[in-house]
Amino acid sequence: MKALLRTITSKPAIRTHIHPTNHPRILRASYASMEHSVPPLSDKSLLKNQTYVNGRWIDAKSGKTFEVHDPATGKLIGTMPEMDAEDTEEAIKAAAAALPSFSKTTGRERSKMLRKWYDLMVENADDIAKLITWENGKPMADAKGEVSYAANFFEWFSEEAPRTYGDVIPATVPGNRVYTMKQPVGVCGLITPWNFPAAMITRKIGPALAAGCTVVAKSPGETPFTAAALAELAHRAGIPPGVVNIVTAMKNTAEVGSTLTASNTIKKVSFTGSTGVGKLLMKQSADTLKKLSFELGGNAPFIVFDDADLDVAVAGAIASKFRSSGQTCVCANRLYIQKGIYDKFAEAFTAKVKNFKVGSGYAEGVTHGPLIHDRAVSKVEAHVQDAVKQGGKVLVGGQKMPDLGSNYYQPTVIRDMTDKMALKNEETFGPVAGLFPFDTEAEVVEQANSAEVGLAGYFFSKDVQRCYRVAEALEVGMVGINTGLISDPAAPFGGIKHSGFGREGSRLGIEEYMITKMITLGGMGQPLQGS
């Protein structure tokens, strides 16, 4: 840990250079592998190498740890406990012990706790952003945006906590009175991904605590330090011991997941990740009939009609496709451009991408960082090579960037895409934009709906009637019209088809962590007595 703290307090040496490429207008501001370091944290106590269970910082019972590496350089950030089934059971017991008292707190009391946690996130936003960039690789500007977005879930659900209303229902039986009340579902198991290490955990923990539930959250093995920092802030906010518990693991991730799904104590599991893992968790949860909410894979269509504002559509495509280097579940994956503006769009879009600056997220002016690991790079490279082999034309990018490190890939635009290419049917999860031409509205809607997943979709048009028509026809859970950014704590987030079920954020998010109890009172219809 001492070596780790020395790393975060040393000064970075920066160099900017242009890497030989077929597309020299792509600039790269980078740290060389041996020169890269992290700006110092203002509050070094936010950097933890233990995990948080029952109000205490602990190690795994086995003493085992796993390593976490900076995706920008491959250098070691530090280690975290490699927890297993036994450790997970202890966390579940802690959450179960805390549930009776926490579930009896008033909504207003829970609101104040969440508000305090929100305030602490805002006060420590810069440090949390530094941790996100360090372990995830996204540029600091993106990381700061994520911290704000993540904190807003605590603010939003602090305001929802006192408003879990029931209903009074007119009965059909004379003399009966029927009403409903909302109660917390119980102990919740939460499994979060690495691409938004702060926002994904707050989007789940916020509504769970607002509803009166206690949680066991499995933080992502690639990015556990952000979750640990949030747990430290929960402690400072006065969240009672056992209400928030963090399980860390890399090698034992599957074991932790199966422990959560098999537990009779865990009454609900929320998971964000791949469709394949979601299906596995659903099968594992069958024996205990848990309440589930899954936000799974996407393959978002992005449609630009001839009548769209070209500049607005290009800006929307840049925001949707290349945010976090394409590593978001709602990223545009298939860009369908109507033939009347296909060439103009390709030219304008490519010009924007050529001006990206790729490098370490801490370097000034960098717009895009590394991918999370070499496996992500391999998938991106395979999609590009497949497209080129089948006739796609690379307009910019298309190469790895070994001078920066093993996890960098050039932001890439490919035109003349066809349905037979792998990118059409698989989520790339990387900085590759494939441009598909189309003729008619009916044709493109059919193509957009051909994917087995249905998380998000986007389209650009000035025709109001078309906007209603296409929005209703797209088989996705979320639609962006004339915008490439749709995430908002106030908006329900979630998909259909193989992208899962349930909604996060919005007034609907807290419902995922509650049950509706119906109560009938009989014999209430006797006449009043008296003179």
Side-chain angles (χ1 to χ4, degrees):
M1 195 65 180
K2 291 180 179 179
L4 184 60
L5 293 177
R6 284 197 298 270
T7 301
I8 69 168
T9 55
S10 59
K11 294 181 179 180
I14 306 174
R15 63 188 176 98
T16 303
H17 63 105
I18 296 185
H19 173 63
T21 176
N22 293 329
H23 308 287
R25 289 176 63 189
I26 295 184
L27 302 179
R28 298 153 191 83
S30 70
Y31 296 122
S33 181
M34 296 304 293
E35 297 173 338
H36 173 87
S37 61
V38 180
L41 300 181
S42 298
D43 182 352
K44 296 180 179 61
S45 66
L46 290 176
L47 181 62
K48 303 292 186 181
N49 66 345
Q50 293 179 300
T51 195
Y52 187 74
V53 173
N54 204 20
R56 298 182 298 111
W57 292 98
I58 65 170
D59 297 313
K61 290 181 180 296
S62 67
K64 294 181 180 179
T65 62
F66 64 91
E67 295 183 345
V68 182
H69 294 268
D70 180 349
T73 65
K75 294 174 67 175
L76 178 68
I77 295 175
T79 62
M80 289 294 274
E82 182 70 74
M83 301 178 80
D84 56 20
E86 184 180 2
D87 296 301
T88 306
E89 290 286 1
E90 288 299 310
I92 294 172
K93 289 177 183 177
L99 180 66
S101 60
F102 187 71
S103 64
K104 296 297 190 297
T105 57
T106 67
R108 183 59 62 190
E109 289 173 316
R110 299 193 296 273
S111 174
K112 291 177 179 178
M113 293 180 200
L114 286 170
R115 181 70 198 197
K116 179 61 175 177
W117 201 355
Y118 163 80
D119 289 338
L120 288 169
M121 280 196 70
V122 172
E123 291 171 15
N124 293 275
D126 284 350
D127 279 350
I128 298 171
K130 290 172 186 176
L131 290 173
I132 291 172
T133 294
W134 197 7
E135 60 184 356
N136 171 278
K138 66 179 63 176
M140 275 292 290
D142 284 357
K144 289 179 179 179
E146 180 185 343
V147 176
S148 177
Y149 178 54
N152 285 343
F153 284 110
F154 286 156
E155 181 183 42
W156 176 268
F157 286 109
S158 74
E159 296 163 349
E160 290 294 298
R163 298 178 174 84
T164 54
Y165 302 128
D167 294 299
V168 176
I169 303 168
T172 61
V173 178
N176 281 4
R177 300 293 182 267
V178 180
Y179 70 94
T180 65
M181 63 184 299
K182 299 294 178 67
Q183 292 182 317
V185 68
V187 179
C188 300
L190 314 176
I191 305 175
T192 63
W194 52 261
N195 57 338
F196 287 90
M200 296 300 95
I201 199 165
T202 62
R203 197 163 74 183
K204 297 180 189 298
I205 289 183
L209 267 59
C213 300
T214 58
V215 303
V216 177
K218 163 64 175 67
S219 64
E222 296 86 351
T223 58
F225 291 105
T226 301
L230 295 181
E232 170 62 21
L233 297 182
H235 188 82
R236 298 179 191 179
I239 308 295
V243 173
V244 174
N245 305 278
I246 308 294
V247 174
T248 57
M250 177 66 86
K251 181 181 178 181
N252 293 337
T253 293
E255 182 178 339
V256 171
S258 62
T259 303
L260 292 174
T261 54
S263 171
N264 280 304
T265 303
I266 297 287
K267 302 302 182 184
K268 185 241 168 53
V269 167
S270 176
F271 169 69
T272 297
S274 71
T275 298
V277 173
K279 291 178 179 180
L280 176 62
L281 293 172
M282 191 171 183
K283 290 178 181 178
Q284 292 175 346
S285 300
D287 286 345
T288 51
L289 287 176
K290 299 186 189 310
K291 188 170 186 176
L292 303 173
S293 56
F294 288 164
E295 192 261 288
L296 307 177
N299 186 353
F302 187 101
I303 304 166
V304 182
F305 290 101
D306 285 345
D307 64 354
D309 183 312
L310 183 62
D311 292 339
V312 171
V314 168
I318 293 293
S320 179
K321 172 65 256 183
F322 289 106
R323 185 164 59 109
S324 297
S325 297
Q327 297 176 115
T328 85
C329 54
V330 292
C331 270
N333 199 58
R334 300 166 286 154
L335 280 70
Y336 294 103
I337 316 300
Q338 201 159 16
K339 288 182 178 178
I341 60 168
Y342 186 87
D343 291 334
K344 289 182 179 180
F345 180 93
E347 181 181 0
F349 184 62
T350 301
K352 294 287 187 182
V353 175
K354 284 181 178 179
N355 288 325
F356 289 168
K357 294 181 73 174
V358 181
S360 163
Y362 296 115
E364 184 176 353
V366 161
T367 58
H368 295 80
L371 300 186
I372 190 66
H373 44 52
D374 56 0
R375 299 186 302 281
V377 174
S378 296
K379 184 174 185 180
V380 168
E381 185 179 36
H383 277 193
V384 171
Q385 291 178 349
D386 172 76
V388 171
K389 182 179 180 180
Q390 299 192 61
K393 180 182 178 182
V394 175
L395 300 179
V396 64
Q399 301 290 329
K400 293 191 287 188
M401 306 173 76
D403 62 318
L404 296 185
S406 62
N407 294 334
Y408 287 92
Y409 198 92
Q410 293 175 344
T412 300
V413 179
I414 307 174
R415 62 168 293 156
D416 303 330
M417 297 291 291
T418 69
D419 291 347
K420 295 181 180 180
M421 297 174 182
L423 187 146
K424 162 67 163 54
N425 300 308
E426 300 174 13
E427 186 178 24
T428 305
F429 227 67
V432 179
L435 307 184
F436 296 77
F438 74 92
D439 285 306
T440 68
E441 178 183 309
E443 171 197 349
V444 75
V445 169
E446 181 181 2
Q447 287 296 317
N449 291 341
S450 64
E452 67 175 10
V453 293
L455 187 58
Y458 309 83
F459 69 91
F460 286 70
S461 173
K462 294 179 181 178
D463 184 329
V464 173
Q465 291 177 325
R466 169 178 279 163
C467 287
Y468 276 93
R469 240 182 0 251
V470 175
E472 293 172 6
L474 288 176
E475 295 175 356
V476 295
M478 299 174 286
V479 178
I481 305 174
N482 294 325
T483 180
L485 298 174
I486 58 175
S487 297
D488 185 332
F493 192 103
I496 61 174
K497 301 199 294 189
H498 289 219
S499 288
F501 43 82
R503 293 296 179 266
E504 295 186 316
S506 80
R507 66 177 180 81
L508 302 178
I510 196 170
E511 296 289 338
E512 301 289 340
Y513 296 88
M514 307 197 81
I515 60 171
T516 299
K517 178 176 285 184
M518 184 277 293
I519 301 171
T520 298
L521 288 79
M524 302 295 289
Q526 292 88 348
L528 297 175
Q529 302 296 316
S531 57

